[in-house]
Every structure is written in structure tokens, then in C-alpha cells.
Amino acid sequence: MQKVPTPCISLFNEALNFLSAYGGSSILLCTATQPALDFVKHKLNIAPDGEIIQDLDHVTEAFKRVQLVDLASNESSTNQTILDLTQQLLQEKNSILIILNTKSVVRNLYSEMKAANTDGEITLYHLSTSMCAAHRKVKLASMREDLQAGKKVICISTALIEAGVDVSFECVIRSLAGLDSIAQAAGRCNRHGEHDLQQVYIVDHTEENLKHLTEVNRGKRITRKILIDLRNQPELYGGSPLSISAMKRYFQEFYSESESELDYRIPKLGISMTSLLFASPRYNKYLEEYQNQNKARPPQFLMNSYRTAAEHFRVIDSPAKTVLVPYEDGKEIIAELNGAGRIEDLTKLMRRAQAYTVNLFEHELRRLDRSGGLESCLDGKVLVLKDGAYNDEFGMDVENESWSGELLY
């Protein structure tokens, strides 16, 4: 399990409870950052002896590969601060991974680092969701080769690299975020224990605009409190923000602050998904009234609104729209969609196209449209980026002649 979206927490817990209680299934949760799923209202029913590993704190200490260095509690960081820190670390390290919270800040830091790398001694990589999946796959393959060859490598990425990407850097710099994200970032440092204890530096980047990233902002605030607690009382949480007790405290506070969001609220209906799926107490009242008036139970009927729930459920409820990009085979797919001939297997073609898409927000689409960087095919059903709005370095290129302005996310 990587991460359950916050609105889906109650649904996730109840689904597992059903599989366990009525489906005769054993549930095994595997994650480096176990959330406090037994803390919320619709909690996960975990057996008292459910932990497979005994004396977990001892085991965690025995496999410790990284040490967190808090640079966020006392002062904020800028691109220049991170550039200076990186130069200092490169005297001893061959590879550094820098993870920031927004695409615009990632790109800006990459550009500044590229300008400073005049002798080309360092191989620089940029990763973000402005690049389609096929593009990121190529970049990651090249990066792994350079890391294995022992070259000096710096990768500047958004949090996408934390989601199950098997790479190992000697050092990680992570912009302050939720403690679960920081733990995932730490998983890219000294991943296979190739070296002695290595460092993960936590910084607070002042140029990140988290206005629209409410969960990241909330997680960042709670993590900061835990780091300040540790600075004032180093013996707390076993002395580490990555300890089991620290992670439990983080999730308990995060879920407490997110309580109104955990049941998948549907604003359009003014009701939660759990209310649609679970028999509400009001139905019990109706049942009781029917029995009192008719001296019998009513005919069998469903008290759950499954169809309505299915119509409104999205695992990731994103306002973004998918756009096909002209990267490698994406160009051939776009040409085929624009062709006058009959497409023999549209389903197969669209499935192939998935690796060559990016998700754009409405304001991004409007800017692209104004600058002439956007077109469509299949009678407007498929949005497509023009060549000038996508490049091999950044993916969707906000600085290209087909675009003016910058991303907010």
C-alpha cells in the first residue's frame, strides 16, 4: 500500500473489515508508513496481536540506513540555500536527490543548477508530472545507469519519485511535507544499505506555493510541530521523527484535522459516501414505523444507495484533464488520430496512448489555448499538445514559444 487518499479512508477500512469478517480473508498491510487506521471513526479492525514483526522498534533500529537532519525548524531555505548545501555535500557525495513540493520550484531550481554546472561535471536530471510516463521511464533508466556507474548525479524531482521508484542516492534533500512523504523520500537514500548511515536533510523552501495543495500544507504543519518537539526534547519519539511513535502521532493528528473529509463527502448531494453505502439510522426509524403500523416486516429491500455511490465515486477526484503529448511514439499516435483513414482498433490505440499523456489543470489549458499550444482530434474528444509546447528536458514546456506564464502547481 502506497497511500490511501484521505477521502477514501473510511471506505478502505470498511471494505477490508468486510473482506475479513464476511469474506473469510486474511488482510496483510505492507507499507513503510503504516497509518493509524484504527484511530478514525470507521476504523480498521486490527487484532491486538496483528503485528507480524515482534519488538518492532529494535528491528527498525537494526535496519536503520538514514538519519534525518532538521534544517527546517530554525530557518527557511531558498534556491540559493539549496545550491550552497548541494555544493557542500558534493565534496563527499556522488549522488544527491532533491525533492520539492511543486513543479514550478523544481523547474526553477533545476534551471539554476544547470546554469551553475558550467563544466558539465555533474549529470542533472529533472522529473515532474509535466512529463508523460514514457518520458519519465526513459529518464529513470538513464539515471539508474549513471548511478550504477558511480557518476556524479543530481536529480531534482517532485514527490512522484517517492511512489515505488527503485533508485538509491547517497543523500536526499526533502522540502518539508507530511511525515509519510518524508519517510518515503528517505527510502530513496542508501536504499540497499550500500553505505554507512547516510543523511536526509529536511528544508523549508520559501518559494513553494501550497495554496492549492491543502493536504501537503496540512502535513507540513503537523510535521513541523513534531520536529520542533524533537528539537526541544530530543528523547521524544525514540529520538527520531521516523520512529513508529512519531508516525503514529503524525497520522492521529492528521486524521483528527481531516475528520470531516474521511467519509468521502459529496458536496453536490450534501451527503457522504459512507451514508449512501451504509444503512443510516433513519432507515431503522422507517422500518420501525412500518412494523408498528402494519404489524409485520416490510418486503425485502435495499437500504443502501449503491448506484448513486458508484456514479459519484472517483478514487482520485482531480479537476485535471488528460492531454496527449508529442513525445516519441506519442507523435505517431497523434498522427494516426488525425489521419483521414479508418482507425482499426481505437481501444488498443487509446490504451497505448496512456503512456504519452499529462494531466493539466483548467488554468493551464486556458493559457495553452491562448498561446496556440493546444489542439484536438477525434472531433474534439482528445486534447493534444503541439510540438512547441513539449520538450525533452521538462516535458510540457511553459517557457516555450507556444506558452507564456508559469505553472502555479
Side-chain angles (χ1 to χ4, degrees):
M1 179 174 69
Q2 181 63 32
K3 184 174 183 180
V4 180
T6 300
C8 298
I9 291 294
S10 294
L11 300 175
F12 177 81
N13 286 347
E14 293 293 357
L16 292 190
N17 288 340
F18 176 85
L19 289 172
S20 177
Y22 300 102
S25 301
S26 297
I27 309 300
L28 178 63
L29 299 181
C30 300
T31 176
T33 52
Q34 176 65 56
L37 297 176
D38 56 342
F39 176 76
V40 296
K41 177 183 176 183
H42 293 278
K43 67 179 182 178
L44 182 65
N45 296 328
I46 301 175
D49 58 348
E51 183 59 62
I52 294 176
I53 306 297
Q54 302 302 314
D55 198 1
L56 200 52
D57 287 323
H58 174 73
V59 173
T60 301
E61 183 64 27
F63 283 91
K64 188 174 181 179
R65 298 172 287 103
V66 300
Q67 175 186 26
L68 257 63
V69 180
D70 173 22
L71 301 179
S73 296
N74 290 324
E75 60 182 36
S76 298
S77 296
T78 62
N79 280 354
Q80 188 58 52
T81 309
I82 296 175
L83 282 168
D84 293 342
L85 174 61
T86 303
Q87 287 300 319
Q88 179 183 341
L89 293 171
L90 281 172
Q91 296 177 20
E92 298 180 357
K93 312 290 184 183
N94 265 346
S95 59
I96 301 173
L97 172 62
I98 304 171
I99 305 176
L100 306 175
N101 289 319
T102 65
K103 292 190 290 187
S104 59
V105 174
V106 164
R107 175 170 176 152
N108 291 340
L109 179 60
Y110 173 87
S111 297
E112 290 186 28
M113 198 164 286
K114 182 180 178 182
N117 186 35
T118 52
D119 56 5
E121 179 187 358
I122 304 163
T123 306
L124 293 175
Y125 286 93
H126 165 279
L127 287 175
S128 83
T129 51
S130 290
M131 305 159 74
C132 66
H135 194 172
R136 298 196 301 265
K137 184 177 180 180
V138 170
K139 291 285 187 181
L140 285 167
S142 176
M143 186 194 304
R144 289 190 183 101
E145 288 182 6
D146 288 340
L147 288 170
Q148 290 172 3
K151 294 182 180 180
K152 281 195 175 295
V153 175
I154 296 178
C155 175
I156 308 169
S157 174
T158 60
L160 71 86
I161 201 169
E162 296 170 356
V165 178
D166 186 12
V167 290
S168 181
F169 287 79
E170 290 182 41
C171 177
V172 170
I173 300 171
R174 181 56 165 101
S175 186
L176 190 60
L179 199 56
D180 53 340
S181 292
I182 290 174
Q184 292 292 345
R188 313 309 130 191
C189 181
N190 196 21
R191 185 170 178 80
H192 307 295
E194 308 97 315
H195 310 280
D196 293 333
L197 201 64
Q198 298 296 304
Q199 286 71 45
V200 175
Y201 295 89
I202 309 303
V203 298
D204 184 8
H205 202 302
T206 58
E207 297 170 35
E208 291 179 342
N209 179 7
L210 303 182
K211 178 181 177 182
H212 299 283
L213 302 175
T214 53
E215 283 198 20
V216 175
N217 207 16
R218 183 183 301 152
K220 174 179 176 177
R221 181 165 37 80
I222 296 170
T223 301
R224 188 194 301 278
K225 287 197 288 186
I226 292 174
L227 292 177
I228 291 173
D229 286 346
L230 277 165
R231 187 185 66 195
N232 295 331
Q233 294 180 268
E235 71 279 1
L236 285 177
Y237 313 119
S240 170
L242 295 182
S243 68
I244 297 167
S245 57
M247 199 64 67
K248 184 175 182 179
R249 152 81 190 283
Y250 169 79
F251 277 112
Q252 286 182 348
E253 191 158 341
F254 186 89
Y255 289 153
S256 291
E257 291 194 16
S258 310
E259 187 175 2
S260 62
E261 305 168 27
L262 300 180
D263 292 348
Y264 201 110
R265 187 77 179 168
I266 307 173
K268 186 177 180 180
L269 302 181
I271 196 172
S272 69
M273 188 70 70
T274 52
S275 297
L276 292 174
L277 293 174
F278 308 149
S280 171
R282 71 175 184 271
Y283 290 117
N284 295 332
K285 181 181 178 182
Y286 299 152
L287 181 62
E288 184 179 341
E289 290 178 357
Y290 182 97
Q291 288 176 315
N292 290 337
Q293 291 179 17
N294 298 279
K295 308 303 180 186
R297 290 183 61 83
Q300 186 174 9
F301 67 96
L302 290 176
M303 296 186 291
N304 318 82
S305 304
Y306 294 126
R307 180 175 176 179
T308 303
E311 289 173 349
H312 290 85
F313 179 70
R314 302 288 185 276
V315 175
I316 300 176
D317 190 15
S318 172
K321 290 186 179 179
T322 300
V323 179
L324 188 58
V325 302
Y327 174 78
E328 300 292 347
D329 287 354
K331 295 179 181 180
E332 180 184 325
I333 295 169
I334 292 170
E336 194 165 345
L337 289 172
N338 277 323
R342 180 173 175 270
I343 301 175
E344 294 294 333
D345 193 339
L346 181 59
T347 301
K348 185 177 180 180
L349 184 65
M350 296 308 293
R351 189 179 301 118
R352 182 177 153 211
Q354 289 177 357
Y356 302 93
T357 62
V358 295
N359 292 322
L360 303 181
F361 291 94
E362 196 62 42
H363 71 278
E364 297 170 334
L365 290 170
R366 286 197 300 269
R367 292 185 182 184
L368 265 176
D369 194 38
R370 285 197 300 267
S371 65
L374 192 66
E375 59 185 4
S376 65
C377 48
L378 286 184
D379 297 324
K381 294 183 179 68
V382 178
L383 294 175
V384 175
L385 282 186
K386 289 185 178 180
D387 281 337
Y390 196 91
N391 69 40
D392 286 344
E393 192 166 27
F394 297 110
M396 183 181 62
D397 187 7
V398 297
E399 304 297 335
N400 193 270
E401 66 271 9
S402 296
W403 185 294
S404 60
E406 65 176 13
L407 289 177
L408 297 179
Y409 294 89

